[in-house]
Amino acid sequence: MEEAIQKMQAEALAAIDAAQDEDALERIRVTYMGKKSRLVALTKGIKDLDDAQKRVVGPIVQKAKQAIVQALTRKREELETARDAQAEWIDVTAPGTKVRRGHLHPLTLVQRDIENIFTTMGFAIVDGPEVETEFYNFDAVNVPKEHPARDMQDTFWIQTANNNARQVLRTHTTSVQVRYMQQHTPPFRIIIPGRVFRQEATDSTHEHTFHQFEALVVGDDVSVANFLDIAQSFFSAFFKKDIKVRLRPSYFPFVEPGFEFDINCTKCGGPENAKGCSACKGNGWLEIGGAGMVHQNVFVAAGYKRNRYQGFAWGFGLERLAMMKYKIDDIRHFHSGDVRVGAQFR
Ligand code: FA5
């Protein structure tokens, strides 16, 4: 009997040691310690032994029981620890879940692009207020009161208590020219990016709120040739191809002489291949903006002596340029808030 107990104990301990998981351990416990186990059967048999045998076998059975219980407890703890460690394990090679990120609006991208090109050409970036006085928006840039030119840009007027200091939502970035010149002495070259407002019906190429880029270069001997050179360098860098600029005589009160300027079509390349081109409607040129030599009256309004300096200025629409670059057919997409538009520029 003693041998049988010791053999059973050895078997039980070996089985416990080899158990792979908590279920297997439980089955071993039932086999060796459960109600119908051999150990229980042996324990029940003790009462039938004589006293001398009881004194020998009793402690052996107790020891075997203790040894098995201890082994079971130790193994259970070991398996539990292993299970917890498994649960905390992170697979660093597993594919991650994609984080949704925001992105810049296409107009911001174009604005940054334009600013980068100009700053590498030595221009400083200048800012000005969107709510502007009538003086800086019109008077200072040589648009006389009651002059029909004031109607060229449909203006949002702001109601103010004092009618002598009327305010507007600026209709063009030209409004910043005199503000800047009052504070600075030539020579300088600046660009003025900004939001402008006009009270007009919207269509595929017109918005009531849009952005302009003004460039202003003033010095002792600045000429139209400088303007052409800078404009061609800028547009070639912006469209990443060789671009020609064409001037057409035009009228803006703040410049003399004044021009409208076009670039050769970025789609067909120019008049030679323009037949049937949808971008330029077959004429080979795309209208970009207005330009000219700064009117001496503007310099005088800024406090400079008449005929002391020369300068050129130009202004163009940011949205129209972005439309050309990204082949966008309707200006209203930009402010529509339709995420499908912006998402294409991630
Ligand atoms: C002006 O605003 C002049 N201040 C530009 C200028 C500056 C001329 C310096 C000479 C010297 P104009 O009104 O043409 O000019 O507007 C300039 C550009 O703004 C246009 O060529 C066009 O690209 C853009 N633009 C004008 N109106 C709108 C509109 N409603 N929606 C979108 N873009 C517009």
Side-chain angles (χ1 to χ4, degrees), residues 70-146:
Q70 272 175 11
L72 281 169
T73 309
R74 207 179 316 116
K75 187 70 182 184
R76 190 169 296 119
E77 282 171 8
E78 194 181 293
L79 289 172
E80 275 172 11
T81 311
R83 174 163 47 81
D84 290 349
Q86 180 81 16
E88 280 171 20
W89 182 75
I90 297 168
D91 181 359
V92 290
T93 64
T97 29
K98 203 168 179 197
V99 179
R100 281 171 63 88
R101 294 174 59 187
H103 54 89
L104 295 175
H105 191 277
L107 289 179
T108 309
L109 292 174
V110 172
Q111 177 164 343
R112 288 189 179 182
D113 198 11
I114 295 173
E115 287 176 359
N116 280 340
I117 298 169
F118 273 111
T119 45
T120 51
M121 293 198 290
F123 282 72
I125 301 170
V126 171
D127 212 0
E130 290 177 349
V131 176
E132 187 52 283
T133 60
E134 183 179 16
F135 174 76
Y136 287 113
N137 197 78
F138 289 128
D139 304 67
V141 290
N142 199 36
V143 187
K145 282 198 173 58
E146 317 307 335

Side-chain angles (χ1 to χ4, degrees), residues 153 172 174 177 198 200 205-207 210 212 214 252 254-255 288-292 313-317 320 331:
Q153 301 166 348
H172 53 181
T174 307
Q177 283 192 13
R198 292 189 190 177
E200 52 183 315
T205 53
H206 291 84
E207 267 286 13
F210 58 100
Q212 284 189 340
E214 189 94 359
F252 296 94
F254 23 88
V255 285
I288 296 286
W314 64 342
F316 58 81
R320 301 250 180 107
I331 195 169

Side-chain angles (χ1 to χ4, degrees), residues 190-243:
I190 60 169
I191 47 165
I192 309 156
R195 200 155 56 143
V196 300
F197 310 85
R198 292 189 190 177
Q199 191 176 0
E200 52 183 315
T202 58
D203 60 25
S204 64
T205 53
H206 291 84
E207 267 286 13
H208 48 75
T209 302
F210 58 100
H211 297 77
Q212 284 189 340
F213 249 89
E214 189 94 359
L216 178 66
V217 177
V218 181
D220 288 332
D221 52 1
V222 176
S223 70
V224 175
N226 297 134
F227 161 68
L228 268 179
D229 184 53
I230 287 176
Q232 280 176 178
S233 304
F234 165 72
F235 287 108
S236 299
F238 181 74
F239 286 106
K240 299 192 170 51
K241 53 170 84 161
D242 207 17
I243 296 284

Side-chain angles (χ1 to χ4, degrees), residues 10-46:
E11 268 175 34
L13 295 181
I16 291 168
D17 195 39
Q20 292 293 323
D21 55 41
E22 287 162 292
D23 287 347
L25 194 65
E26 176 60 13
R27 282 195 297 276
I28 294 165
R29 187 192 67 77
V30 171
T31 306
Y32 291 97
M33 305 279 293
K35 279 185 190 148
K36 293 176 185 163
S37 65
R38 280 175 55 205
L39 187 74
V40 169
L42 285 168
T43 322
K44 277 181 188 158
I46 292 175

